[in-house]
């Protein structure tokens, strides 16, 4: 993890903590879950991050730099994954934050298939901001890259995109609400 000064639209600078997501050392050839090659997964995550970053910031990582030849992204730090959370945290307006995630995904044509009830792909910052991470197992514009991903979507959501987003929303709410270290403020 590193810190950098990032210029804002107004010309001011803010301090951003960044992390590196490195595909080079994570996989051999094919992801057993999605059946995507390392190259395909990297391209999917890049496309998702690019689309998400075109919307107002919040609840997803910001792509600072992409290094394709190294299969590497430099991203803003979104905090700790819920499955590793060991310190008490206050989270304000959970419904609003989750709705923002769902809105961003829908607006960008992203079907997020990598939600884990453990909270491994949902992070929380020290300020109580939740962020969805890990977009390499997504579907963009309903174009499934592998039959396995299509079958997972069809089996779980009966091929219903609206049901998918309802299930994802409920899953994200459950991850946060059921975590013993979380105190909800201004939420349901």
């Amino acid at each position: 993890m590193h810190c950098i000064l990032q210029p804002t639209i107004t010309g001011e600078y803010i301090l951003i903590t960044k992390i590196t997501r490195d595909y080079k050392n994570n996989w051999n050839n094919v992801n057993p879950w999605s059946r995507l090659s390392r190259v395909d997964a990297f391209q999917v995550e890049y496309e998702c991050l690019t689309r998400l970053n075109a919307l107002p910031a919040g609840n997803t990582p910001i792509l600072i730099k992409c290094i394709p030849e190294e299969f590497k992204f430099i991203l803003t730090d979104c905090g700790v994954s819920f499955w590793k959370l060991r310190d008490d945290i206050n989270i304000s307006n959970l419904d609003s934050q989750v709705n923002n995630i769902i809105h961003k995904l829908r607006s960008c044509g992203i079907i997020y298939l990598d939600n884990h009830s453990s909270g491994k792909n949902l992070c929380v910052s020290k300020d109580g901001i939740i962020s969805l991470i890990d977009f390499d197992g997504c579907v963009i514009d309903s174009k499934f890259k592998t039959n396995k991903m299509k079958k997972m979507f069809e089996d779980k959501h009966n091929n219903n995109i609206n049901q998918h987003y309802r299930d994802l929303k409920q899953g994200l709410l459950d991850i946060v609400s059921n975590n013993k270290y979380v105190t909800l403020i201004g939420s349901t």
Side-chain angles (χ1 to χ4, degrees):
M1 196 176 331
H2 302 84
C3 293
I4 60 168
L5 285 175
Q6 179 79 23
T8 64
I9 294 173
T10 62
E12 300 170 23
Y13 284 83
I14 56 173
L15 186 65
I16 293 183
T17 308
K18 64 180 185 173
I19 59 168
T20 301
R21 179 154 164 81
D22 187 351
Y23 281 82
K24 188 179 268 186
N25 298 321
N26 291 349
W27 306 5
N28 292 327
N29 294 316
V30 173
N31 180 317
W33 175 82
S34 67
R35 304 303 303 157
L36 289 174
S37 71
R38 182 171 52 207
V39 171
D40 285 341
F42 183 82
Q43 290 171 342
V44 166
E45 184 142 11
Y46 177 74
E47 179 66 24
C48 288
L49 289 168
T50 301
R51 288 178 181 213
L52 291 165
N53 287 186
L55 298 176
N59 305 108
T60 55
I62 296 171
L63 177 62
I64 297 170
K65 186 175 183 180
C66 177
I67 310 166
E69 60 277 5
E70 296 180 26
F71 293 96
K72 190 180 287 188
F73 295 116
I74 309 296
L75 307 166
T76 52
D77 182 9
C78 294
V80 63
S81 291
F82 274 88
W83 74 329
K84 292 182 178 179
L85 187 62
R86 299 295 177 263
D87 295 316
D88 292 337
I89 186 88
N90 294 329
I91 297 178
S92 298
N93 303 310
L94 175 61
D95 291 333
S96 177
Q97 291 193 60
V98 170
N99 285 336
N100 187 48
I101 291 170
I102 300 301
H103 171 75
K104 288 178 82 170
L105 294 171
R106 285 191 91 129
S107 297
C108 294
I110 297 170
I111 300 172
Y112 189 87
L113 296 177
D114 203 13
N115 193 34
H116 294 266
S117 60
S118 67
K120 123 179 182 174
N121 290 334
L122 188 65
C123 292
V124 62
S125 71
K126 291 177 182 169
D127 299 329
I129 305 299
I130 64 168
S131 294
L132 191 64
I133 62 168
D134 196 4
F135 296 92
D136 60 351
C138 291
V139 175
I140 301 171
D141 297 331
S142 297
K143 296 176 184 165
F144 293 87
K145 287 199 170 270
T146 67
N147 288 333
K148 185 169 184 182
M149 292 172 76
K150 185 173 185 178
K151 182 161 177 32
M152 283 188 300
F153 174 76
E154 290 170 346
D155 289 350
K156 187 168 184 178
H157 308 291
N158 198 27
N159 209 25
N160 182 326
I161 190 70
N162 292 323
Q163 185 63 47
H164 163 73
Y165 288 117
R166 283 191 296 272
D167 292 347
L168 178 59
K169 178 180 178 177
Q170 189 60 54
L172 297 175
L173 289 169
D174 289 347
I175 289 166
V176 178
S177 300
N178 296 331
N179 189 293
K180 67 182 180 180
Y181 296 103
V182 170
T183 301
L184 297 176
I185 301 170
S187 299
T188 46

